[in-house]
CSV table of all heavy atoms in Angstrom, one decimal:
chain,number,residue,atom,x,y,z
A,274,LEU,N,92.7,-14.3,-41.0
A,274,LEU,CA,93.9,-14.1,-41.9
A,274,LEU,C,94.4,-12.7,-41.7
A,274,LEU,O,95.6,-12.5,-41.7
A,274,LEU,CB,93.5,-14.4,-43.3
A,274,LEU,CG,94.5,-14.2,-44.3
A,274,LEU,CD1,95.7,-15.2,-44.2
A,274,LEU,CD2,94.0,-14.3,-45.7
A,275,MET,N,93.5,-11.8,-41.7
A,275,MET,CA,93.9,-10.3,-41.6
A,275,MET,C,94.6,-10.1,-40.2
A,275,MET,O,95.7,-9.4,-40.2
A,275,MET,CB,92.7,-9.3,-41.6
A,275,MET,CG,92.0,-9.4,-42.8
A,275,MET,SD,92.8,-8.7,-44.2
A,275,MET,CE,92.1,-7.1,-44.3
A,276,ALA,N,94.2,-10.8,-39.1
A,276,ALA,CA,94.8,-10.7,-37.8
A,276,ALA,C,96.3,-11.3,-37.9
A,276,ALA,O,97.2,-10.8,-37.3
A,276,ALA,CB,94.0,-11.3,-36.8
A,277,VAL,N,96.4,-12.4,-38.5
A,277,VAL,CA,97.7,-13.1,-38.6
A,277,VAL,C,98.7,-12.3,-39.4
A,277,VAL,O,99.9,-12.3,-39.1
A,277,VAL,CB,97.5,-14.5,-39.1
A,277,VAL,CG1,98.9,-15.1,-39.6
A,277,VAL,CG2,96.9,-15.4,-38.2
A,278,THR,N,98.2,-11.8,-40.5
A,278,THR,CA,99.2,-11.1,-41.5
A,278,THR,C,99.2,-9.6,-41.2
A,278,THR,O,99.6,-8.8,-42.1
A,278,THR,CB,98.7,-11.3,-42.9
A,278,THR,OG1,97.3,-10.9,-43.0
A,278,THR,CG2,98.8,-12.8,-43.3
A,279,GLU,N,99.2,-9.2,-39.9
A,279,GLU,CA,99.3,-7.7,-39.6
A,279,GLU,C,100.8,-7.4,-39.6
A,279,GLU,O,101.7,-8.3,-39.5
A,279,GLU,CB,98.8,-7.5,-38.3
A,279,GLU,CG,97.4,-6.9,-38.3
A,279,GLU,CD,96.7,-6.8,-36.9
A,279,GLU,OE1,97.4,-7.0,-35.9
A,279,GLU,OE2,95.5,-6.7,-36.9
A,280,TYR,N,101.1,-6.1,-39.7
A,280,TYR,CA,102.4,-5.6,-39.7
A,280,TYR,C,103.1,-5.6,-38.3
A,280,TYR,O,102.5,-5.2,-37.4
A,280,TYR,CB,102.5,-4.2,-40.2
A,280,TYR,CG,103.8,-3.4,-40.1
A,280,TYR,CD1,104.9,-3.9,-41.0
A,280,TYR,CD2,104.0,-2.4,-39.3
A,280,TYR,CE1,106.1,-3.2,-40.9
A,280,TYR,CE2,105.2,-1.7,-39.2
A,280,TYR,CZ,106.3,-2.2,-40.0
A,280,TYR,OH,107.4,-1.5,-39.9
A,281,LEU,N,104.3,-6.2,-38.2
A,281,LEU,CA,105.0,-6.3,-36.9
A,281,LEU,C,106.2,-5.3,-37.1
A,281,LEU,O,107.1,-5.5,-37.9
A,281,LEU,CB,105.5,-7.6,-36.6
A,281,LEU,CG,104.4,-8.6,-36.0
A,281,LEU,CD1,105.0,-9.9,-35.8
A,281,LEU,CD2,103.8,-8.0,-34.8
A,282,ALA,N,106.3,-4.3,-36.4
A,282,ALA,CA,107.4,-3.4,-36.4
A,282,ALA,C,108.7,-4.0,-35.9
A,282,ALA,O,108.7,-4.8,-34.9
A,282,ALA,CB,107.1,-2.0,-35.6
A,283,PRO,N,109.8,-3.6,-36.4
A,283,PRO,CA,111.1,-4.2,-36.0
A,283,PRO,C,111.4,-3.7,-34.5
A,283,PRO,O,111.1,-2.4,-34.3
A,283,PRO,CB,112.1,-3.7,-36.9
A,283,PRO,CG,111.6,-2.5,-37.6
A,283,PRO,CD,110.0,-2.7,-37.5
A,284,ARG,N,111.9,-4.5,-33.7
A,284,ARG,CA,112.2,-4.0,-32.3
A,284,ARG,C,113.7,-4.1,-32.2
A,284,ARG,O,114.4,-5.2,-32.2
A,284,ARG,CB,111.7,-5.0,-31.3
A,284,ARG,CG,110.1,-4.9,-31.1
A,284,ARG,CD,109.7,-5.7,-30.0
A,284,ARG,NE,110.1,-5.2,-28.7
A,284,ARG,CZ,110.0,-5.9,-27.5
A,284,ARG,NH1,109.4,-7.0,-27.6
A,284,ARG,NH2,110.4,-5.5,-26.5
A,285,PRO,N,114.5,-3.0,-32.1
A,285,PRO,CA,115.9,-3.0,-32.0
A,285,PRO,C,116.3,-3.6,-30.6
A,285,PRO,O,115.6,-3.6,-29.7
A,285,PRO,CB,116.4,-1.5,-32.0
A,285,PRO,CG,115.1,-0.8,-31.7
A,285,PRO,CD,113.9,-1.6,-32.0
A,286,ALA,N,117.5,-4.2,-30.6
A,286,ALA,CA,118.0,-4.9,-29.4
A,286,ALA,C,118.0,-3.9,-28.2
A,286,ALA,O,117.6,-4.3,-27.1
A,286,ALA,CB,119.4,-5.5,-29.6
A,287,ILE,N,118.5,-2.6,-28.4
A,287,ILE,CA,118.5,-1.6,-27.3
A,287,ILE,C,117.3,-0.7,-27.6
A,287,ILE,O,117.3,-0.1,-28.7
A,287,ILE,CB,119.8,-0.9,-27.2
A,287,ILE,CG1,120.9,-1.9,-27.1
A,287,ILE,CG2,119.8,0.0,-26.0
A,287,ILE,CD1,122.3,-1.3,-27.2
A,288,PRO,N,116.4,-0.6,-26.8
A,288,PRO,CA,115.3,0.4,-27.1
A,288,PRO,C,115.9,1.8,-27.3
A,288,PRO,O,116.8,2.2,-26.5
A,288,PRO,CB,114.3,0.3,-26.0
A,288,PRO,CG,114.9,-0.6,-25.0
A,288,PRO,CD,116.1,-1.2,-25.5
A,289,PRO,N,115.4,2.6,-28.2
A,289,PRO,CA,115.9,3.9,-28.5
A,289,PRO,C,115.8,4.8,-27.2
A,289,PRO,O,116.6,5.8,-27.1
A,289,PRO,CB,115.1,4.5,-29.7
A,289,PRO,CG,113.9,3.6,-29.7
A,289,PRO,CD,114.2,2.3,-29.2
A,290,ARG,N,115.0,4.5,-26.3
A,290,ARG,CA,114.8,5.3,-25.1
A,290,ARG,C,116.1,5.2,-24.2
A,290,ARG,O,116.4,6.2,-23.5
A,290,ARG,CB,113.6,4.8,-24.3
A,290,ARG,CG,112.8,5.9,-23.7
A,290,ARG,CD,111.5,5.5,-23.3
A,290,ARG,NE,111.4,4.1,-22.9
A,290,ARG,CZ,110.6,3.7,-21.8
A,290,ARG,NH1,110.1,4.6,-21.0
A,290,ARG,NH2,110.6,2.4,-21.5
A,291,CYS,N,116.8,4.1,-24.3
A,291,CYS,CA,117.9,3.9,-23.4
A,291,CYS,C,119.2,4.5,-24.0
A,291,CYS,O,120.1,4.8,-23.2
A,291,CYS,CB,118.1,2.4,-23.2
A,291,CYS,SG,116.7,1.6,-22.4
A,292,LEU,N,119.2,4.8,-25.3
A,292,LEU,CA,120.4,5.3,-25.9
A,292,LEU,C,120.3,6.8,-25.7
A,292,LEU,O,119.3,7.5,-25.9
A,292,LEU,CB,120.4,5.0,-27.4
A,292,LEU,CG,120.6,3.5,-27.7
A,292,LEU,CD1,120.3,3.3,-29.1
A,292,LEU,CD2,122.0,3.1,-27.4
A,293,THR,N,121.5,7.4,-25.4
A,293,THR,CA,121.5,8.9,-25.3
A,293,THR,C,121.4,9.4,-26.7
A,293,THR,O,122.2,9.0,-27.5
A,293,THR,CB,122.8,9.3,-24.6
A,293,THR,OG1,123.9,8.6,-25.1
A,293,THR,CG2,122.8,9.1,-23.1
A,294,PRO,N,120.6,10.4,-26.9
A,294,PRO,CA,120.6,10.9,-28.3
A,294,PRO,C,121.9,11.6,-28.7
A,294,PRO,O,122.4,12.4,-27.9
A,294,PRO,CB,119.4,11.9,-28.3
A,294,PRO,CG,119.2,12.2,-26.9
A,294,PRO,CD,119.8,11.0,-26.1
A,295,ARG,N,122.4,11.2,-29.8
A,295,ARG,CA,123.6,11.8,-30.3
A,295,ARG,C,123.4,13.2,-30.7
A,295,ARG,O,122.3,13.5,-31.4
A,295,ARG,CB,124.1,11.2,-31.6
A,295,ARG,CG,125.0,9.9,-31.4
A,295,ARG,CD,126.5,10.4,-31.2
A,295,ARG,NE,127.3,9.2,-31.0
A,295,ARG,CZ,127.7,8.4,-31.9
A,295,ARG,NH1,127.5,8.7,-33.2
A,295,ARG,NH2,128.5,7.4,-31.6
A,296,LYS,N,124.2,14.2,-30.2
A,296,LYS,CA,123.9,15.6,-30.4
A,296,LYS,C,124.1,15.8,-32.0
A,296,LYS,O,125.1,15.5,-32.5
A,296,LYS,CB,125.0,16.4,-29.8
A,296,LYS,CG,124.7,16.8,-28.4
A,296,LYS,CD,125.0,18.3,-28.1
A,296,LYS,CE,124.5,18.6,-26.7
A,296,LYS,NZ,125.5,18.7,-25.8
A,297,GLY,N,123.1,16.3,-32.6
A,297,GLY,CA,123.1,16.5,-34.0
A,297,GLY,C,124.3,17.3,-34.4
A,297,GLY,O,124.5,18.4,-33.9
A,298,ARG,N,125.0,16.9,-35.4
A,298,ARG,CA,126.3,17.6,-35.8
A,298,ARG,C,125.9,18.9,-36.4
A,298,ARG,O,125.0,19.1,-37.1
A,298,ARG,CB,126.9,16.8,-36.9
A,298,ARG,CG,127.9,15.7,-36.4
A,298,ARG,CD,129.3,15.9,-36.8
A,298,ARG,NE,129.7,17.2,-36.6
A,298,ARG,CZ,130.8,17.7,-37.1
A,298,ARG,NH1,131.5,17.0,-37.9
A,298,ARG,NH2,131.1,18.9,-36.9
A,299,VAL,N,126.7,19.9,-35.9
A,299,VAL,CA,126.5,21.3,-36.5
A,299,VAL,C,126.6,21.3,-38.0
A,299,VAL,O,127.6,20.7,-38.6
A,299,VAL,CB,127.6,22.2,-35.8
A,299,VAL,CG1,127.3,23.6,-36.4
A,299,VAL,CG2,127.3,22.2,-34.3
A,300,GLU,N,125.7,22.0,-38.6
A,300,GLU,CA,125.7,21.9,-40.1
A,300,GLU,C,127.0,22.6,-40.6
A,300,GLU,O,127.2,23.7,-40.3
A,300,GLU,CB,124.4,22.6,-40.6
A,300,GLU,CG,123.2,21.8,-40.5
A,300,GLU,CD,122.0,22.6,-40.9
A,300,GLU,OE1,122.1,23.6,-41.5
A,300,GLU,OE2,120.9,22.2,-40.5
A,301,GLU,N,127.7,21.9,-41.5
A,301,GLU,CA,128.9,22.5,-42.0
A,301,GLU,C,128.5,23.1,-43.4
A,301,GLU,O,129.1,23.0,-44.4
A,301,GLU,CB,130.0,21.4,-42.3
A,301,GLU,CG,130.3,20.7,-41.0
A,301,GLU,CD,131.4,21.5,-40.3
A,301,GLU,OE1,131.8,22.6,-40.8
A,301,GLU,OE2,131.8,21.1,-39.1
A,302,GLU,N,127.4,24.0,-43.3
A,302,GLU,CA,127.0,24.6,-44.5
A,302,GLU,C,128.1,25.5,-45.1
A,302,GLU,O,128.2,25.6,-46.3
A,302,GLU,CB,125.7,25.3,-44.3
A,302,GLU,CG,124.5,24.6,-44.7
A,302,GLU,CD,123.3,25.5,-44.4
A,302,GLU,OE1,123.5,26.8,-44.6
A,302,GLU,OE2,122.3,25.0,-44.0
A,303,ASP,N,128.8,26.2,-44.2
A,303,ASP,CA,129.9,27.0,-44.6
A,303,ASP,C,129.3,28.1,-45.5
A,303,ASP,O,129.7,28.3,-46.7
A,303,ASP,CB,131.0,26.2,-45.4
A,303,ASP,CG,132.3,27.0,-45.3
A,303,ASP,OD1,132.5,27.6,-44.3
A,303,ASP,OD2,133.1,26.8,-46.2
A,304,ASN,N,128.4,28.9,-45.0
A,304,ASN,CA,127.9,30.0,-45.8
A,304,ASN,C,129.0,31.0,-46.0
A,304,ASN,O,129.8,31.3,-45.2
A,304,ASN,CB,126.7,30.6,-45.2
A,304,ASN,CG,126.9,30.9,-43.7
A,304,ASN,OD1,127.9,30.6,-43.1
A,304,ASN,ND2,125.9,31.7,-43.1
A,305,GLY,N,128.9,31.8,-47.1
A,305,GLY,CA,129.9,32.7,-47.4
A,305,GLY,C,130.2,33.8,-46.4
A,305,GLY,O,131.3,34.2,-46.3
A,306,TYR,N,129.2,34.1,-45.7
A,306,TYR,CA,129.4,35.1,-44.7
A,306,TYR,C,130.4,34.6,-43.5
A,306,TYR,O,131.3,35.4,-43.1
A,306,TYR,CB,128.0,35.5,-44.0
A,306,TYR,CG,128.0,36.7,-43.1
A,306,TYR,CD1,128.6,37.9,-43.4
A,306,TYR,CD2,127.3,36.6,-41.9
A,306,TYR,CE1,128.6,38.9,-42.6
A,306,TYR,CE2,127.4,37.7,-41.0
A,306,TYR,CZ,128.0,38.9,-41.4
A,306,TYR,OH,128.0,39.9,-40.6
A,307,ALA,N,130.2,33.4,-43.2
A,307,ALA,CA,131.1,32.9,-42.1
A,307,ALA,C,132.5,32.8,-42.7
A,307,ALA,O,133.5,33.2,-42.0
A,307,ALA,CB,130.7,31.5,-41.7
A,308,ARG,N,132.6,32.4,-44.0
A,308,ARG,CA,133.9,32.4,-44.6
A,308,ARG,C,134.6,33.7,-44.6
A,308,ARG,O,135.8,33.9,-44.3
A,308,ARG,CB,133.8,31.9,-46.0
A,308,ARG,CG,134.3,30.4,-46.1
A,308,ARG,CD,134.2,29.9,-47.5
A,308,ARG,NE,132.8,29.7,-47.9
A,308,ARG,CZ,132.3,29.9,-49.1
A,308,ARG,NH1,133.1,30.3,-50.1
A,308,ARG,NH2,131.0,29.7,-49.4
A,309,LEU,N,133.8,34.8,-44.9
A,309,LEU,CA,134.3,36.1,-45.0
A,309,LEU,C,134.8,36.6,-43.7
A,309,LEU,O,135.9,37.1,-43.5
A,309,LEU,CB,133.2,37.0,-45.5
A,309,LEU,CG,133.6,38.5,-45.4
A,309,LEU,CD1,134.5,38.9,-46.6
A,309,LEU,CD2,132.3,39.4,-45.5
A,310,LEU,N,134.0,36.3,-42.6
A,310,LEU,CA,134.4,36.7,-41.3
A,310,LEU,C,135.7,36.0,-40.8
A,310,LEU,O,136.6,36.6,-40.2
A,310,LEU,CB,133.3,36.4,-40.2
A,310,LEU,CG,132.1,37.3,-40.4
A,310,LEU,CD1,130.9,36.7,-39.5
A,310,LEU,CD2,132.3,38.7,-40.1
A,311,ARG,N,135.8,34.7,-41.2
A,311,ARG,CA,137.0,34.0,-40.8
A,311,ARG,C,138.2,34.6,-41.4
A,311,ARG,O,139.3,34.7,-40.9
A,311,ARG,CB,136.9,32.5,-41.2
A,311,ARG,CG,136.5,31.6,-40.0
A,311,ARG,CD,136.3,30.2,-40.4
A,311,ARG,NE,134.9,29.9,-40.5
A,311,ARG,CZ,134.4,29.1,-41.4
A,311,ARG,NH1,135.1,28.5,-42.3
A,311,ARG,NH2,133.1,28.9,-41.4
A,312,ARG,N,138.0,35.0,-42.8
A,312,ARG,CA,139.2,35.6,-43.5
A,312,ARG,C,139.6,36.9,-42.9
A,312,ARG,O,140.8,37.2,-42.7
A,312,ARG,CB,138.7,35.8,-45.0
A,312,ARG,CG,139.8,35.4,-46.0
A,312,ARG,CD,139.4,35.7,-47.4
A,312,ARG,NE,138.0,35.5,-47.7
A,312,ARG,CZ,137.2,36.2,-48.4
A,312,ARG,NH1,137.7,37.3,-49.0
A,312,ARG,NH2,135.9,35.9,-48.7
A,313,GLN,N,138.6,37.6,-42.4
A,313,GLN,CA,138.9,38.9,-41.8
A,313,GLN,C,139.7,38.7,-40.5
A,313,GLN,O,140.6,39.4,-40.2
A,313,GLN,CB,137.6,39.6,-41.4
A,313,GLN,CG,137.0,40.3,-42.6
A,313,GLN,CD,135.8,41.1,-42.3
A,313,GLN,OE1,135.1,40.9,-41.2
A,313,GLN,NE2,135.4,42.0,-43.2
A,314,VAL,N,139.3,37.7,-39.7
A,314,VAL,CA,140.0,37.4,-38.5
A,314,VAL,C,141.4,37.0,-38.8
A,314,VAL,O,142.4,37.5,-38.1
A,314,VAL,CB,139.2,36.3,-37.7
A,314,VAL,CG1,140.1,35.8,-36.5
A,314,VAL,CG2,138.0,36.8,-37.2
A,315,GLU,N,141.7,36.2,-39.8
A,315,GLU,CA,143.0,35.8,-40.2
A,315,GLU,C,143.8,37.0,-40.6
A,315,GLU,O,145.0,37.1,-40.2
A,315,GLU,CB,143.0,34.8,-41.3
A,315,GLU,CG,142.7,33.4,-40.9
A,315,GLU,CD,142.2,32.5,-42.2
A,315,GLU,OE1,142.6,33.0,-43.3
A,315,GLU,OE2,141.6,31.6,-41.9
A,316,GLU,N,143.2,37.9,-41.3
A,316,GLU,CA,144.0,39.1,-41.8
A,316,GLU,C,144.4,40.0,-40.5
A,316,GLU,O,145.4,40.4,-40.5
A,316,GLU,CB,143.1,40.0,-42.6
A,316,GLU,CG,143.1,39.5,-44.1
A,316,GLU,CD,142.0,40.3,-44.9
A,316,GLU,OE1,141.6,41.4,-44.4
A,316,GLU,OE2,141.6,39.8,-45.9
A,317,VAL,N,143.4,40.1,-39.6
A,317,VAL,CA,143.7,40.9,-38.3
A,317,VAL,C,144.9,40.3,-37.6
A,317,VAL,O,145.8,41.0,-37.2
A,317,VAL,CB,142.5,40.9,-37.5
A,317,VAL,CG1,142.8,41.1,-36.0
A,317,VAL,CG2,141.4,41.9,-37.9
A,318,PHE,N,144.9,38.9,-37.5
A,318,PHE,CA,146.0,38.4,-36.8
A,318,PHE,C,147.4,38.5,-37.5
A,318,PHE,O,148.4,38.5,-36.9
A,318,PHE,CB,145.7,36.9,-36.4
A,318,PHE,CG,145.0,36.7,-35.2
A,318,PHE,CD1,143.6,36.7,-35.1
A,318,PHE,CD2,145.7,36.7,-33.9
A,318,PHE,CE1,142.9,36.5,-34.0
A,318,PHE,CE2,145.0,36.5,-32.7
A,318,PHE,CZ,143.6,36.5,-32.7
A,319,ARG,N,147.2,38.6,-38.8
A,319,ARG,CA,148.4,38.7,-39.6
A,319,ARG,C,149.0,40.1,-39.6
A,319,ARG,O,150.2,40.4,-39.5
A,319,ARG,CB,148.1,38.3,-41.0
A,319,ARG,CG,149.1,37.1,-41.5
A,319,ARG,CD,148.8,36.8,-42.9
A,319,ARG,NE,147.4,36.6,-43.2
A,319,ARG,CZ,146.7,37.1,-44.3
A,319,ARG,NH1,147.4,37.8,-45.1
A,319,ARG,NH2,145.4,36.9,-44.4
A,320,ASP,N,148.1,41.1,-39.7
A,320,ASP,CA,148.6,42.4,-40.0
A,320,ASP,C,149.0,43.3,-38.7
A,320,ASP,O,149.9,44.1,-38.9
A,320,ASP,CB,147.5,43.3,-40.7
A,320,ASP,CG,147.1,42.6,-42.1
A,320,ASP,OD1,148.0,41.8,-42.5
A,320,ASP,OD2,146.0,42.9,-42.5
A,321,ASN,N,148.4,42.9,-37.6
A,321,ASN,CA,148.6,43.8,-36.5
A,321,ASN,C,149.6,43.3,-35.6
A,321,ASN,O,149.8,42.0,-35.3
A,321,ASN,CB,147.4,44.0,-35.7
A,321,ASN,CG,146.3,44.4,-36.6
A,321,ASN,OD1,145.9,43.7,-37.5
A,321,ASN,ND2,145.8,45.7,-36.5
A,322,ARG,N,150.5,44.1,-34.9
A,322,ARG,CA,151.5,43.7,-34.0
A,322,ARG,C,150.9,43.5,-32.5
A,322,ARG,O,151.2,42.5,-31.9
A,322,ARG,CB,152.5,44.8,-33.8
A,322,ARG,CG,153.5,44.7,-35.0
A,322,ARG,CD,154.5,45.8,-34.9
A,322,ARG,NE,155.4,45.7,-33.7
A,322,ARG,CZ,156.2,46.6,-33.2
A,322,ARG,NH1,156.2,47.7,-33.7
A,322,ARG,NH2,157.0,46.3,-32.2
A,323,MET,N,150.0,44.4,-32.2
A,323,MET,CA,149.4,44.2,-30.8
A,323,MET,C,147.9,43.8,-31.0
A,323,MET,O,147.2,44.4,-31.7
A,323,MET,CB,149.5,45.5,-30.1
A,323,MET,CG,148.8,45.5,-28.8
A,323,MET,SD,149.0,46.9,-27.8
A,323,MET,CE,147.7,48.0,-28.5
A,324,ILE,N,147.6,42.7,-30.3
A,324,ILE,CA,146.2,42.3,-30.3
A,324,ILE,C,145.9,42.0,-28.9
A,324,ILE,O,146.4,41.1,-28.2
A,324,ILE,CB,146.0,41.0,-31.1
A,324,ILE,CG1,146.5,41.1,-32.6
A,324,ILE,CG2,144.5,40.5,-31.1
A,324,ILE,CD1,146.7,39.8,-33.3
A,325,ALA,N,144.9,42.8,-28.3
A,325,ALA,CA,144.5,42.7,-26.9
A,325,ALA,C,143.1,42.0,-26.9
A,325,ALA,O,142.2,42.5,-27.6
A,325,ALA,CB,144.5,43.9,-26.2
A,326,VAL,N,142.9,41.0,-26.1
A,326,VAL,CA,141.5,40.4,-26.0
A,326,VAL,C,140.9,40.9,-24.7
A,326,VAL,O,141.6,40.9,-23.6
A,326,VAL,CB,141.6,38.9,-25.9
A,326,VAL,CG1,140.2,38.3,-25.8
A,326,VAL,CG2,142.4,38.3,-27.0
A,327,CYS,N,139.7,41.5,-24.8
A,327,CYS,CA,139.1,42.1,-23.6
A,327,CYS,C,137.7,41.5,-23.4
A,327,CYS,O,137.0,41.2,-24.4
A,327,CYS,CB,138.9,43.6,-23.7
A,327,CYS,SG,140.5,44.4,-24.2
Side-chain angles (χ1 to χ4, degrees):
Chain A
L274 177 65
M275 299 290 264
V277 163
T278 53
E279 262 168 14
Y280 171 68
L281 281 180
R284 289 184 66 190
I287 307 169
R290 218 161 33 136
C291 301
L292 294 167
T293 45
R295 274 273 179 86
K296 274 224 175 109
R298 275 241 50 193
V299 177
E300 281 173 20
E301 300 277 354
E302 260 182 36
D303 205 29
N304 51 348
Y306 188 46
R308 256 181 287 147
L309 172 75
L310 290 173
R311 259 179 259 144
R312 226 184 317 142
Q313 280 183 343
V314 168
E315 279 163 19
E316 277 171 23
V317 156
F318 270 94
R319 235 182 309 134
D320 299 337
N321 306 69
R322 278 177 70 194
M323 173 175 88
I324 303 160
V326 184
C327 312

